[in-house]
Every structure is written in structure tokens, then in C-alpha cells.
Amino acid sequence: MRYEAPDSLEGAVALLAGAQGEARVLAGGTDLLVQMRADVLDPDLIVDIKKIKETRAVTEEKGGWRIGAAVTGAELKEHARLKKAWPGVVEAANLIGSTQVQGRATLGGNLCNGSPAADSVPALIAAGAVATLVGPKGKRDLPVEDVMLGPRKLALGKGEIVASFLLPPRAARSSDAYLRFIPRTEMDIAVVGAGVSLTGAVAARVLLVAEAAQAIVGSRLDVPAQERLEAAARAACRPIDDKRGTVEFRTQVAGVLARRAALIALDRARSNS
């Protein structure tokens, strides 16, 4: 196995594009290293992106926020202004593993691991986040919901990497929230996760449920609107049936979490006047 740690996006792209055999990007390594130790993956090349400045920065941009793909959950939690603007995104990132894992785990890695149970992905999608991809043909932007095509399947071409995420400007009296259901109290994989962003996932991949948004747009999030939201979230579910939860259970919980997350986001939005 060959290990490289370039200090530029161009260098990382060149390595990945020219790789012979399987190549993997290392951001935090909390998924990649575990899979390698379990003999699930045996890459010929690992490209560590943590030395690349653009992947490690959190900056304000166009009234919103740009977060590097290799910024850790712990670093996001310590960023007071970002946490105030997008608390749901930050809290989702800080549900990934233990405190020690959060010191390594990254938004880019959590997305590109390609798991439908990824905690940060529903929150990013609800926030309207856009991923900036860099590859042999240059840069392109892709909504986060379009990056993951299915379990372990990404819309990235050979040599492309996720360099950063752009969160849009936050309107007044708006906020977000993320909730998940897990069998244990900590350090578990989400059975169901729900992210909501508002003003004033349960499928083969994380879903952006337009019908759920339509169910509450223009409402005061009263009980009828909450019930419409629950129904829309459940109708969109296409979950698997396994030892961690049946199809019926996951579908029921998806509606409940969507409703609760919306109410938390509303309460936060009211304080952001």
C-alpha cells in the first residue's frame, strides 16, 4: 500500500486520477481505517487530504459558511458563530461516534463513506448545503443530496474529491435541528435520522423529502401541519428490515423524529429574531 499526503488539491487530484488499482481518500479515517483493519477494504493508494489548507478551514463566504471536508466534528463544535448559525449541522456532526472519534471524524468522510445511516448528511441536506468537488476537469458544485447515489455509491468521477461544503446565508428567524434514534444512548449507528431546517433518512440513501417541506410551508407548524409532516416523512421511507429495526418501526420513527426536529428548529428560529 502506498500513502501520500499532498499539500494541494491539485496534487491530491493528480494522485487519485493516476492511481493504478483502488485509491481511497483519508480525511479523518474513522471509517476507512476500521474497514481496512476488518479486511473490508485493501486500497493500493491512500491520499491523506489533511495537509491541504482548503480542506481544513471554516470561513464565511457570501453571507454563508464554507466548511472544509477535513474539518472535524470537534472543531465545528468549538466554532461559536457557526454553531449559532447552523446548530443542527454542528450537533449532527457531534453525534458521530465518541468524543475521541469526533476529534477525527469529518463531514467529508461521513458523506463519502456512503452510508444511509450517516448522521451529518441529513442535516447538511436540510441546510441546503452544496458540496464543492475538485477533479481532473476542475471544480464543480453538487447539492449534497446528489452526491450519494446509494449505499457506498457516489457521484464522483475518477480523481474527484469533495473539497468543502457551502452552507447558505441564514435568514432571520430561522434555524435547524437534527435528531436520530439509536438503540443505545451513545456511540451507535442511527436506525433513523431526521434533519429539519425552517424559517419563522430512511431509505437506501438519505432523502430530501420535498413533500415534507410542502406540508409545513406557510403554516405556523400547528398540529395539522405537524401531522402532514409526519405523513410525508413516512410516505417517503423505503427502509431495510434488519436486526436494528423493522420496516414498520423505522417508518413510524421517521415521522416522529421529523416532527420533533421541526419543533426544535422552530423554537430555535423564534430566538433568532
Side-chain angles (χ1 to χ4, degrees), residues 63-143:
W65 291 91
R66 184 169 293 280
I67 303 172
V71 173
T72 69
E75 290 169 327
L76 294 177
K77 188 176 182 178
E78 294 173 356
H79 201 296
R81 293 175 64 194
L82 175 65
K83 189 174 179 180
K84 182 178 180 180
W86 291 100
V89 172
V90 174
E91 69 192 358
N94 278 273
L95 285 173
I96 303 170
S98 64
T99 299
Q100 294 89 339
V101 168
Q102 290 156 16
R104 296 284 300 181
T106 65
L107 292 181
N110 199 223
L111 172 62
C112 293
N113 185 47
S115 169
D119 281 307
S120 68
V121 179
L124 286 169
I125 291 174
V130 173
T132 296
L133 279 54
V134 180
K137 296 181 180 179
K139 290 186 179 182
R140 64 183 178 116
D141 291 331
L142 195 63

XYZ file of all heavy atoms in Angstrom, residues 63-143:
563
model
N -22.091 35.489 2.727
C -23.117 35.512 3.760
C -23.369 34.165 4.399
O -24.127 34.068 5.374
N -22.767 33.114 3.853
C -22.922 31.775 4.407
C -21.609 31.292 4.982
O -20.738 32.083 5.350
N -21.453 29.972 5.040
C -20.254 29.380 5.630
C -19.697 28.289 4.733
O -20.434 27.453 4.223
C -20.589 28.771 6.991
C -20.911 29.787 8.032
C -22.145 30.291 8.332
C -19.983 30.443 8.897
N -22.044 31.214 9.336
C -20.735 31.327 9.706
C -18.605 30.357 9.069
C -20.140 32.129 10.675
C -18.009 31.151 10.037
C -18.771 32.028 10.825
N -18.375 28.307 4.545
C -17.707 27.227 3.832
C -16.907 26.404 4.832
O -16.110 26.941 5.591
C -16.792 27.752 2.719
C -16.153 26.612 1.905
C -15.478 27.100 0.655
N -16.398 27.643 -0.335
C -17.119 26.906 -1.170
N -17.057 25.567 -1.115
N -17.909 27.483 -2.043
N -17.165 25.096 4.801
C -16.528 24.176 5.737
C -15.685 23.184 4.944
O -16.202 22.478 4.067
C -17.577 23.412 6.559
C -18.495 24.386 7.304
C -16.892 22.468 7.547
C -19.672 23.698 7.981
N -14.407 23.106 5.249
C -13.532 22.163 4.575
C -13.930 20.726 4.859
O -14.413 20.398 5.951
N -13.715 19.863 3.877
C -14.137 18.464 4.004
C -13.400 17.724 5.105
O -13.896 16.717 5.616
C -13.920 17.736 2.674
N -12.228 18.192 5.534
C -11.448 17.522 6.571
C -11.521 18.226 7.916
O -10.737 17.927 8.820
C -9.993 17.380 6.131
N -12.475 19.151 8.073
C -12.697 19.776 9.377
C -13.425 18.762 10.262
O -14.369 18.111 9.831
C -13.538 21.060 9.240
C -13.919 21.615 10.607
C -12.776 22.107 8.441
N -12.983 18.622 11.493
C -13.556 17.607 12.370
C -14.811 18.102 13.090
O -15.048 19.313 13.215
C -12.539 17.172 13.440
O -12.316 18.255 14.361
C -11.223 16.761 12.811
N -15.566 17.144 13.595
C -16.754 17.492 14.365
C -16.400 18.286 15.605
O -17.125 19.218 15.990
N -15.294 17.940 16.259
C -14.870 18.664 17.458
C -14.551 20.121 17.134
O -14.867 21.028 17.915
C -13.649 17.979 18.073
N -13.941 20.356 15.986
C -13.619 21.733 15.590
C -14.883 22.520 15.284
O -14.974 23.714 15.600
C -12.685 21.712 14.380
C -11.286 21.219 14.726
C -10.431 20.933 13.512
O -10.977 20.499 12.475
O -9.202 21.132 13.608
N -15.864 21.879 14.691
C -17.130 22.563 14.417
C -17.810 22.962 15.721
O -18.377 24.051 15.838
C -18.052 21.653 13.606
C -17.594 21.299 12.192
C -18.583 20.336 11.545
C -17.436 22.541 11.328
N -17.774 22.068 16.693
C -18.416 22.328 17.985
C -17.805 23.532 18.686
O -18.482 24.255 19.428
C -18.286 21.089 18.871
C -19.080 21.148 20.163
C -18.968 19.842 20.912
C -19.795 19.854 22.185
N -19.721 18.548 22.896
N -16.511 23.769 18.462
C -15.819 24.883 19.106
C -15.974 26.200 18.360
O -15.528 27.244 18.847
C -14.334 24.544 19.233
C -14.049 23.387 20.184
C -12.594 22.952 20.176
O -11.832 23.521 19.370
O -12.245 22.058 20.952
N -16.613 26.164 17.179
C -16.784 27.371 16.370
C -18.119 28.023 16.740
O -19.172 27.660 16.226
C -16.757 27.011 14.891
C -16.433 28.174 13.990
N -17.242 29.282 13.884
C -15.381 28.407 13.159
C -16.717 30.127 13.024
N -15.586 29.627 12.584
N -18.081 28.990 17.644
C -19.297 29.551 18.233
C -20.227 30.181 17.195
O -21.455 30.008 17.253
C -18.928 30.584 19.297
N -19.683 30.906 16.238
C -20.539 31.607 15.266
C -21.210 30.635 14.310
O -22.391 30.788 13.973
C -19.710 32.639 14.506
C -19.237 33.784 15.402
C -18.320 34.721 14.657
N -19.007 35.387 13.560
C -18.392 36.054 12.590
N -17.059 36.118 12.574
N -19.082 36.642 11.648
N -20.475 29.623 13.869
C -21.078 28.610 13.009
C -22.151 27.837 13.777
O -23.235 27.560 13.245
C -20.014 27.651 12.495
C -20.520 26.463 11.679
C -21.161 26.937 10.381
C -19.390 25.484 11.391
N -21.859 27.501 15.006
C -22.800 26.748 15.837
C -24.092 27.533 16.053
O -25.184 26.959 16.085
C -22.148 26.423 17.180
C -22.931 25.459 18.047
C -22.120 25.108 19.284
C -22.893 24.155 20.181
N -22.093 23.799 21.394
N -23.978 28.842 16.176
C -25.168 29.677 16.337
C -25.979 29.727 15.051
O -27.209 29.691 15.076
C -24.765 31.094 16.753
C -25.958 32.010 16.984
C -25.520 33.400 17.440
C -26.742 34.296 17.671
N -26.336 35.658 18.114
N -25.293 29.808 13.907
C -25.985 29.907 12.622
C -26.618 28.580 12.209
O -27.748 28.547 11.717
C -25.021 30.382 11.537
N -25.892 27.480 12.381
C -26.351 26.169 11.928
C -26.188 25.136 13.045
O -25.383 24.197 12.931
C -25.566 25.735 10.675
C -25.900 26.567 9.479
C -25.185 27.597 8.969
C -27.072 26.443 8.657
N -25.826 28.125 7.874
C -26.982 27.444 7.657
C -28.172 25.586 8.663
C -27.965 27.598 6.683
C -29.148 25.748 7.697
C -29.042 26.750 6.719
N -26.964 25.250 14.126
C -26.807 24.325 15.256
C -27.118 22.879 14.892
O -26.517 21.957 15.440
C -27.805 24.862 16.295
C -28.809 25.642 15.496
C -28.020 26.246 14.379
N -28.057 22.675 13.962
C -28.405 21.311 13.570
C -27.267 20.600 12.866
O -27.027 19.410 13.095
N -26.550 21.319 12.016
C -25.408 20.725 11.321
C -24.311 20.359 12.312
O -23.728 19.265 12.256
C -24.859 21.697 10.256
C -23.547 21.177 9.670
C -25.889 21.899 9.150
N -24.043 21.263 13.255
C -22.990 21.017 14.238
C -23.365 19.867 15.166
O -22.542 18.992 15.458
C -22.689 22.297 15.040
C -21.693 22.016 16.157
C -22.145 23.384 14.116
N -24.618 19.841 15.636
C -24.993 18.759 16.550
C -24.995 17.406 15.836
O -24.675 16.376 16.449
C -26.345 19.043 17.203
C -27.558 18.999 16.315
C -28.791 19.584 16.989
O -28.708 19.985 18.172
O -29.853 19.663 16.331
N -25.323 17.389 14.559
C -25.286 16.136 13.801
C -23.856 15.617 13.682
O -23.587 14.428 13.871
C -25.887 16.337 12.413
N -22.926 16.532 13.383
C -21.516 16.136 13.270
C -20.989 15.604 14.592
O -20.109 14.736 14.622
C -20.675 17.322 12.805
N -21.532 16.091 15.703
C -21.053 15.676 17.011
C -21.826 14.506 17.596
O -21.713 14.220 18.793
C -21.050 16.872 17.958
C -19.815 17.727 17.777
O -18.785 17.478 18.370
N -19.904 18.728 16.905
N -22.583 13.832 16.745
C -23.188 12.562 17.134
C -22.453 11.388 16.500
O -22.827 10.238 16.685
C -24.666 12.532 16.712
C -25.612 13.373 17.569
C -27.005 13.400 16.949
C -25.682 12.856 18.994
N -21.411 11.696 15.745
C -20.634 10.642 15.084
C -19.648 10.058 16.088
O -18.636 10.666 16.417
C -19.877 11.196 13.857
C -20.839 11.837 12.872
C -19.086 10.087 13.172
C -20.163 12.615 11.757
N -19.947 8.881 16.608
C -19.020 8.196 17.493
C -18.836 8.853 18.851
O -19.646 9.663 19.304
N -17.725 8.528 19.483
C -17.382 9.027 20.811
C -16.711 10.393 20.720
O -16.455 10.916 19.629
C -16.434 8.041 21.485
O -15.218 7.986 20.755
N -16.394 10.950 21.890
C -15.659 12.214 21.923
C -14.324 12.080 21.193
O -13.915 12.978 20.448
C -15.411 12.646 23.379
O -16.677 12.829 24.035
C -14.620 13.945 23.439
N -13.656 10.952 21.384
C -12.376 10.730 20.712
C -12.560 10.660 19.195
O -11.763 11.222 18.429
C -11.732 9.436 21.214
C -11.315 9.492 22.674
C -12.416 9.045 23.619
O -13.593 9.058 23.260
N -12.022 8.643 24.825
N -13.596 9.973 18.748
C -13.872 9.854 17.311
C -14.197 11.216 16.712
O -13.769 11.540 15.599
C -15.030 8.855 17.072
C -15.524 8.935 15.630
C -14.577 7.431 17.381
N -14.933 12.043 17.447
C -15.302 13.367 16.943
C -14.078 14.265 16.743
O -14.129 15.226 15.986
C -16.300 14.026 17.897
C -17.671 13.366 17.870
C -18.462 13.576 19.139
O -18.140 14.451 19.949
N -19.491 12.775 19.335
N -12.988 13.927 17.411
C -11.743 14.659 17.196
C -11.089 14.325 15.874
O -10.142 15.001 15.455
N -11.591 13.294 15.203
C -11.050 12.878 13.904
C -12.100 12.889 12.788
O -11.788 13.208 11.651
C -10.481 11.466 14.006
C -9.297 11.307 14.925
C -8.024 11.833 14.324
N -7.678 11.150 13.078
C -6.593 11.405 12.364
N -5.748 12.333 12.786
N -6.331 10.751 11.253
N -13.317 12.505 13.120
C -14.363 12.345 12.104
C -14.681 13.661 11.406
O -14.730 14.718 12.037
C -15.623 11.768 12.737
N -14.920 13.602 10.099
C -15.122 14.803 9.285
C -16.429 14.732 8.503
O -16.964 13.651 8.261
C -13.965 14.960 8.280
O -14.011 13.851 7.359
C -12.621 14.981 8.990
N -16.911 15.902 8.082
C -18.108 15.949 7.247
C -17.867 15.264 5.906
O -18.728 14.535 5.404
C -18.536 17.408 7.016
C -19.062 18.188 8.216
C -19.464 19.591 7.777
C -20.251 17.482 8.860
N -16.698 15.502 5.324
C -16.398 14.897 4.028
C -16.350 13.389 4.104
O -16.906 12.684 3.253
N -15.699 12.872 5.136
C -15.623 11.432 5.293
C -16.956 10.802 5.588
O -17.282 9.718 5.074
N -17.763 11.476 6.404
C -19.081 10.946 6.751
C -19.971 10.833 5.522
O -20.707 9.858 5.356
C -19.727 11.852 7.806
C -20.860 11.192 8.556
O -21.907 11.811 8.788
N -20.700 9.947 8.966
N -19.883 11.806 4.622
C -20.655 11.754 3.380
C -20.092 10.700 2.432
O -20.836 9.867 1.894
C -20.642 13.124 2.699
C -21.237 13.194 1.292
C -22.723 12.828 1.305
C -21.038 14.585 0.693
N -18.781 10.716 2.225
C -18.185 9.857 1.200
C -18.035 8.401 1.631
O -17.719 7.548 0.798
C -16.835 10.428 0.767
S -16.989 12.004 -0.108
N -18.285 8.107 2.898
C -18.352 6.709 3.311
C -19.559 6.021 2.666
O -19.596 4.799 2.540
C -18.441 6.617 4.836
C -18.396 5.203 5.354
O -17.558 4.405 4.950
N -19.312 4.867 6.249
N -20.549 6.817 2.272
C -21.679 6.282 1.515
C -22.667 5.473 2.327
O -23.323 4.577 1.797
N -22.800 5.794 3.616
C -23.751 5.069 4.460
C -25.062 5.828 4.579
O -25.067 7.035 4.861
C -23.165 4.868 5.861
O -24.159 4.389 6.754
N -26.212 5.145 4.412
C -27.504 5.816 4.597
C -27.757 6.194 6.046
O -28.692 6.946 6.327
C -28.518 4.772 4.104
C -27.817 3.471 4.208
C -26.370 3.756 3.942
N -26.933 5.682 6.979
C -27.096 6.000 8.394
C -26.184 7.146 8.840
O -26.103 7.436 10.025
C -26.815 4.761 9.250
N -25.505 7.810 7.910
C -24.590 8.897 8.261
C -25.336 10.022 8.974
O -26.346 10.520 8.467
C -23.911 9.430 7.007
N -24.831 10.437 10.132
C -25.551 11.440 10.921
C -25.513 12.837 10.320
O -26.504 13.566 10.350
C -24.985 11.484 12.346
C -25.515 10.350 13.207
O -26.737 10.188 13.280
O -24.701 9.625 13.789
N -24.362 13.253 9.784
C -24.256 14.645 9.332
C -24.987 14.900 8.015
O -25.330 16.045 7.712
C -22.785 15.035 9.183
O -22.178 14.340 8.109
N -25.240 13.861 7.239
C -25.784 14.062 5.888
C -27.211 14.610 5.887
O -27.506 15.553 5.134
C -25.674 12.766 5.060
C -26.254 12.968 3.667
C -24.204 12.341 4.956
N -28.152 14.072 6.682
C -29.492 14.674 6.683
C -29.481 16.145 7.087
O -30.230 16.957 6.535
C -30.262 13.826 7.710
C -29.544 12.526 7.747
C -28.106 12.871 7.545
N -28.620 16.489 8.060
C -28.543 17.880 8.495
C -27.995 18.778 7.384
O -28.479 19.899 7.183
C -27.665 17.976 9.744
N -26.990 18.305 6.665
C -26.436 19.079 5.551
C -27.472 19.272 4.441
O -27.597 20.353 3.865
C -25.193 18.385 4.990
C -23.920 18.462 5.836
C -22.862 17.517 5.289
C -23.386 19.891 5.882
N -28.201 18.208 4.146
C -29.217 18.298 3.099
C -30.316 19.273 3.505
O -30.751 20.117 2.707
C -29.795 16.906 2.793
C -28.735 16.036 2.115
C -31.037 17.011 1.904
C -29.164 14.598 1.891
N -30.788 19.171 4.758
C -31.824 20.081 5.243
C -31.353 21.529 5.183
O -32.143 22.447 4.928
C -32.220 19.706 6.673
N -30.056 21.726 5.398
C -29.486 23.077 5.373
C -29.346 23.638 3.965
O -29.055 24.821 3.792
C -28.119 23.070 6.057
N -29.518 22.783 2.948
C -29.315 23.236 1.578
C -27.848 23.331 1.221
O -27.451 24.122 0.352
N -27.025 22.519 1.864
C -25.579 22.573 1.645
C -25.208 22.075 0.252
O -25.826 21.156 -0.285
C -24.860 21.743 2.700
N -24.171 22.673 -0.300
C -23.635 22.296 -1.602
C -22.201 21.820 -1.416
O -21.410 22.469 -0.722
C -23.675 23.486 -2.584
C -22.957 23.145 -3.883
C -25.114 23.899 -2.867
N -21.877 20.683 -1.990
C -20.510 20.163 -1.932
C -19.719 20.681 -3.123
O -20.203 20.652 -4.262
C -20.526 18.635 -1.936
N -18.519 21.162 -2.867
C -17.614 21.578 -3.935
C -16.666 20.431 -4.223
O -15.901 20.012 -3.349
C -16.839 22.838 -3.551
O -17.762 23.928 -3.395
C -15.822 23.196 -4.627
N -16.730 19.915 -5.450
C -15.896 18.800 -5.886
C -14.754 19.319 -6.740
O -14.933 20.259 -7.525
C -16.727 17.799 -6.693
C -17.597 16.785 -5.948
C -18.542 17.457 -4.963
C -18.411 15.961 -6.932
N -13.598 18.717 -6.594
C -12.440 19.085 -7.397
C -11.915 17.821 -8.068
O -11.743 16.784 -7.413
C -11.329 19.717 -6.538
C -10.137 20.091 -7.402
C -11.860 20.941 -5.810
N -11.684 17.907 -9.387
C -11.217 16.741 -10.129
C -10.357 17.136 -11.310
O -10.000 18.312 -11.466
N -10.038 16.196 -12.158
C -9.190 16.477 -13.322
C -9.766 17.540 -14.252
O -9.015 18.214 -14.954
C -9.108 15.115 -14.029
C -9.358 14.117 -12.949
C -10.350 14.756 -12.034
N -11.079 17.697 -14.258
C -11.711 18.686 -15.125
C -12.001 20.002 -14.404
O -12.693 20.863 -14.939
C -13.004 18.112 -15.702
C -12.784 16.901 -16.603
C -14.103 16.398 -17.168
C -13.883 15.182 -18.073
N -15.174 14.666 -18.622
N -11.489 20.147 -13.194
C -11.693 21.382 -12.450
C -12.702 21.226 -11.330
O -12.954 20.125 -10.844
N -13.302 22.353 -10.930
C -14.252 22.361 -9.821
C -15.689 22.296 -10.324
O -16.000 22.795 -11.399
C -14.072 23.624 -8.971
C -12.796 23.672 -8.161
C -12.781 24.900 -7.248
C -11.525 24.945 -6.402
N -11.516 26.110 -5.475
N -16.544 21.705 -9.525
C -17.974 21.753 -9.776
C -18.706 21.648 -8.446
O -18.197 21.086 -7.479
C -18.438 20.639 -10.715
C -18.269 19.214 -10.183
C -18.692 18.195 -11.232
N -18.508 16.823 -10.778
C -19.498 15.954 -10.596
N -20.757 16.324 -10.826
N -19.255 14.709 -10.194
N -19.899 22.240 -8.402
C -20.722 22.205 -7.201
C -21.861 21.218 -7.386
O -22.469 21.145 -8.459
C -21.287 23.592 -6.889
C -20.212 24.564 -6.434
O -19.213 24.096 -5.842
O -20.357 25.775 -6.655
N -22.165 20.483 -6.335
C -23.216 19.479 -6.382
C -23.971 19.511 -5.054
O -23.342 19.452 -3.987
C -22.584 18.093 -6.597
C -23.490 16.942 -7.019
C -24.106 17.219 -8.392
C -22.691 15.645 -7.051
N -25.307 19.630 -5.100
C -26.059 19.568 -3.846
C -25.727 18.280 -3.091
O -25.552 17.220 -3.710
C -27.523 19.577 -4.314
C -27.490 20.256 -5.648
C -26.188 19.840 -6.272
